[in-house]
């Protein structure tokens, strides 16, 4: 059965571009960028002169407008940024679905996604265009939260649609004092933060609480990340290899009807097939609700442990 093509739902939100406000009927909704700055990146613009912030914002707006004009109206204004956008667009086989797509939870939050690209009938990639001079680790982390929240709201608004990839399109072509240009044209994939974490962040802000960022890991621990990954991957490979060897040895012992082998350093014992019987306590409780089991229950302390997933 063919999959029905999903058409994106209109949010019903009015965006006042001049005031950068989102309205749903008579209610003003909060934007995502301001929330991220409050909760996670309060020092983002510390020490930066106001005129530089304003100039950067104006440049970013101009680049966004030029690219949107190309996507919507096929107008190429001849800027290097648009030329770079077109090249990235072609190289990655992007299919433009819409620009400045408003997403909302229809209660408290709304924001515009710079670019939505269609992958297939039900899947869409979303992109944010950045025009920074330097893509720092903090800016990448902010973009990661931003795009992940967009993805969460996107799927909330379009129930049957799925978000595929998240990425930043980093475009810049500004003249420097020495006469050369600060030229950047890059597409940066972003790993998605789980929706439950995004929801908790939004809920914390609504409650006026400080969100505890699970990605704020001490640097000393973070420095061991690559080593831990390598060790876990090695462990998995070793266990897989050991399992293969054990299966081969067991097959040989079964074929030769041998139950025990010795070497100078190993003892190989073949366990015969059998049946394991266990007591289903919950089923017994359900069948005998009148019996008090507390005096028969044994409790013991369990040490805390760490689970690592990669």
């Amino acid at each position: 059965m063919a999959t029905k093509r999903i058409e994106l739902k209109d949010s019903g939100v009015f965006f006042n571009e001049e005031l950068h406000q989102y309205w749903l009927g008579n209610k003003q909704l909060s934007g995502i960028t301001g929330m991220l700055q409050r909760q996670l990146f309060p020092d983002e613009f510390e020490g930066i002169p106001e005129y530089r912030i304003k100039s950067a914002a104006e440049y970013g707006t101009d680049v966004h407008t030029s690219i949107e004009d190309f996507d919507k109206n096929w107008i190429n204004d001849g800027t290097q940024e648009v030329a770079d956008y077109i090249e990235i667009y072609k190289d990655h086989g992007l299919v433009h679905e819409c620009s400045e797509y408003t997403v909302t939870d229809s209660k408290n939050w709304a924001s515009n996604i710079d670019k939505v690209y269609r992958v297939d009938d039900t899947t869409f990639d979303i992109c944010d265009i950045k025009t920074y001079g330097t893509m720092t680790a903090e800016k990448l982390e902010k973009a990661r939260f931003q795009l992940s929240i967009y993805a969460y709201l996107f799927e909330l608004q379009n129930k049957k649609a799925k978000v595929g990839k998240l990425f930043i399109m980093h475009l810049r072509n500004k003249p420097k004092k020495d006469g050369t240009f600060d030229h950047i044209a890059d597409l940066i994939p972003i790993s998605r933060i789980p929706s439950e974490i995004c929801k908790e962040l939004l809920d914390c802000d609504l409650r006026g609480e400080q969100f505890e960022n699970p990605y704020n890991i001490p640097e000393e621990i973070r420095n061991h990340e690559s080593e831990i990954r390598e060790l876990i991957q090695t462990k998995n490979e070793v266990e897989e290899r050991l399992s293969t060897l054990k299966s081969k040895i067991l097959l040989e012992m079964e074929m030769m009807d041998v139950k025990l082998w010795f070497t100078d350093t190993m003892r190989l014992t073949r366990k015969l097939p059998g049946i394991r019987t266990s007591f289903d306590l919950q089923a017994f409780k359900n069948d005998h609700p009148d019996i008090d089991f507390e005096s028969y229950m044994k409790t013991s302390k369990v040490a805390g442990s760490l689970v690592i997933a990669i």
Side-chain angles (χ1 to χ4, degrees):
M1 184 177 176
T3 304
K4 185 178 180 181
R5 178 183 171 92
I6 290 177
E7 300 302 332
L8 297 183
K9 181 181 177 182
D10 185 275
S11 66
V13 172
F14 169 71
F15 177 58
N16 185 321
E17 188 172 357
E18 184 178 350
L19 299 176
H20 204 90
Q21 294 177 348
Y22 299 92
W23 292 87
L24 185 60
N26 295 323
K27 182 176 182 180
Q28 184 176 356
L29 306 181
S30 298
I32 300 302
T33 306
M35 180 278 298
L36 289 176
Q37 195 167 346
R38 281 194 303 275
Q39 284 285 345
L40 300 174
F41 306 96
D43 302 325
E44 181 180 10
F45 300 112
E46 187 175 302
I48 302 176
E50 185 65 30
Y51 77 90
R52 288 187 60 187
I53 296 173
K54 183 178 179 181
S55 175
E58 289 174 351
Y59 173 68
T61 298
D62 289 344
V63 173
H64 278 73
T65 301
S66 294
I67 292 171
E68 186 175 352
D69 209 17
F70 171 78
D71 275 332
K72 286 186 174 181
N73 306 310
W74 293 104
I75 295 175
N76 185 341
D77 65 2
T79 59
Q80 183 63 51
E81 293 88 340
V82 170
D84 290 334
Y85 175 76
I86 294 171
E87 185 174 353
I88 292 174
Y89 187 96
K90 290 179 178 178
D91 287 346
H92 292 271
L94 302 177
V95 179
H96 177 257
E97 180 72 14
C98 56
S99 299
E100 299 299 325
Y101 179 61
T102 305
V103 288
T104 181
D105 65 348
S106 298
K107 296 177 183 178
N108 302 291
W109 305 99
S111 200
N112 291 338
I113 302 175
D114 284 351
K115 298 293 174 186
V116 177
Y117 300 107
R118 182 178 286 272
V119 178
D120 55 34
D121 287 343
T122 61
T123 307
F124 301 84
D125 293 341
I126 62 177
C127 164
D128 199 63
I129 295 174
K130 301 296 187 187
T131 56
Y132 302 130
T134 303
M135 187 64 72
T136 63
E138 185 178 68
K139 288 175 180 175
L140 276 173
E141 187 68 2
K142 183 179 179 182
R144 185 182 177 211
F145 269 99
Q146 181 183 1
L147 283 166
S148 296
I149 293 172
Y150 288 173
Y152 163 64
L153 295 176
F154 183 98
E155 292 177 343
L156 197 65
Q157 183 168 298
N158 300 280
K159 301 297 184 183
K160 296 183 179 180
K162 294 294 180 186
V163 173
K165 297 176 183 177
L166 311 179
F167 51 86
I168 294 170
M169 204 173 291
H170 191 190
L171 300 171
R172 185 177 176 85
N173 193 58
K174 293 198 73 175
K176 298 191 290 186
K177 291 181 179 180
D178 62 2
T180 62
F181 279 79
D182 185 10
H183 180 215
I184 303 170
D186 197 11
L187 187 143
I188 306 170
I190 299 295
S191 59
R192 182 173 175 177
I193 294 170
S195 291
E196 56 267 26
I197 294 178
C198 295
K199 185 177 184 304
E200 177 60 21
L201 169 58
L202 296 174
D203 289 347
C204 274
D205 196 72
L206 289 175
R207 295 192 299 263
E209 299 174 2
Q210 180 58 49
F211 174 68
E212 292 188 13
N213 186 357
Y215 298 98
N216 277 347
I217 301 173
E219 195 63 28
E220 182 182 358
I221 304 299
R222 191 179 291 278
N223 289 338
H224 290 296
E225 183 177 358
S226 59
E227 181 185 4
I228 291 170
R229 289 180 63 88
E230 288 176 8
L231 289 171
I232 291 175
Q233 289 168 353
T234 300
K235 175 177 174 287
N236 292 339
E237 291 168 3
V238 169
E239 288 179 344
E240 184 179 352
R241 176 59 180 158
L242 181 59
S243 177
T244 301
L245 289 173
K246 288 175 70 175
S247 296
K248 183 178 179 181
I249 293 169
L250 179 60
L251 181 61
E252 290 289 335
M253 295 180 79
E254 288 173 342
M255 290 175 61
M256 299 175 67
D257 195 23
V258 176
K259 295 181 181 178
L260 191 63
W261 273 340
F262 281 95
T263 73
D264 291 340
T265 58
M266 281 193 306
R267 174 190 178 107
L268 306 174
T269 304
R270 175 168 69 100
K271 292 185 178 181
L272 299 178
I275 296 174
R276 177 179 296 167
T277 302
S278 61
F279 181 70
D280 191 336
L281 177 61
Q282 188 58 53
F284 191 78
K285 283 184 176 181
N286 293 339
D287 291 341
H288 303 279
D290 54 323
I291 299 177
D292 182 9
F293 292 91
E294 289 303 317
S295 60
Y296 299 96
M297 301 302 293
K298 183 180 179 180
T299 60
S300 58
K301 292 184 178 180
V302 179
S305 62
L306 174 68
V307 177
I308 302 176
I310 61 173

